[in-house]
Amino acid sequence: MQDCRPMQRMPWPEYFMNITYLVSERSTCLRRRVGAVVVRDKRILATGYNGAPVNVAHCLDVGCLRKQMGVPSGQRHEICRGLHAEQNVIIQAAVHGITIHGAALYCTTHPCVLCAKMLINCGVHYIWYAEDYADDLAADIFKEAGVTAERMNFTRSDAGKLTNV
């Protein structure tokens, strides 16, 4: 006998956050894997992950300068060879001529203050994130600009986990 109960579909926010974690698997950062997905009208506009610019050696290959110098997480961003996932999602959208004004961002981690300022100026109005990041100024700036940043109670689904084939 066939089960007639309606199939349960994954809610949109959980769907996009799972994709965000999948995107983070491309990260080349030795400290933290971060993924970002920008969405408007339930459509993915662009994705980004943290890592070095095109044609620049990745930290996976040359090591982490900030780690070698003992720089704590969240400090001295200017000596990191990588871009943040949020910066890369903005760049990817721009390179391909896609406006992200009025879009929402799904990010594995709360954006830092540098990324917060960029997202505000791009017109991103809503941020969903799963993990905290110690940057109170970013949260304050989002609030002042009228951008909602909401932590999602999220557990990555088994469907989003990669396995070696």
Side-chain angles (χ1 to χ4, degrees):
M1 178 172 224
Q2 201 172 32
D3 188 351
C4 294
R5 290 179 294 178
M7 183 176 75
Q8 293 294 317
R9 294 179 70 191
M10 183 181 292
W12 286 108
E14 187 177 330
Y15 170 76
F16 291 125
M17 190 59 77
N18 268 293
I19 293 170
T20 301
Y21 273 92
L22 186 61
V23 169
S24 77
E25 296 290 333
R26 293 280 306 150
S27 171
T28 59
C29 180
L30 298 172
R31 288 184 160 192
R32 180 190 313 255
R33 288 181 165 219
V34 180
V37 175
V38 68
V39 174
R40 187 176 47 241
D41 299 326
K42 299 179 184 168
R43 301 290 180 256
I44 294 172
L45 303 176
T47 66
Y49 53 86
N50 54 334
V54 175
N55 298 322
V56 174
H58 295 285
C59 298
L60 285 174
D61 301 323
V62 298
C64 176
L65 180 59
R66 292 174 66 234
K67 185 176 181 178
Q68 293 165 7
M69 295 175 67
V71 177
S73 179
Q75 297 180 14
R76 303 288 316 270
H77 295 254
E78 73 278 6
I79 60 172
C80 178
R81 68 189 303 109
L83 293 159
H84 289 185
E86 303 92 329
Q87 294 166 339
N88 270 327
V89 81
I90 292 167
I91 292 165
Q92 285 304 305
V95 164
H96 296 286
I98 300 167
T99 181
I100 61 173
H101 189 271
L105 178 87
Y106 290 80
C107 195
T108 57
T109 306
H110 190 287
C112 73
V113 68
L114 297 173
C115 292
K117 292 185 282 188
M118 291 179 200
L119 292 164
I120 291 166
N121 275 1
C122 287
V124 171
H125 66 88
Y126 207 96
I127 313 290
W128 289 97
Y129 65 96
E131 302 170 28
D132 280 324
Y133 186 73
D135 192 336
D136 293 336
L137 184 55
D140 292 344
I141 287 177
F142 277 143
K143 189 179 223 178
E144 183 178 341
V147 173
T148 301
E150 184 174 340
R151 183 171 185 179
M152 183 185 292
N153 186 10
F154 179 79
T155 303
R156 189 173 172 192
S157 77
D158 289 336
K161 293 181 181 173
L162 294 178
T163 58
N164 290 332
V165 178

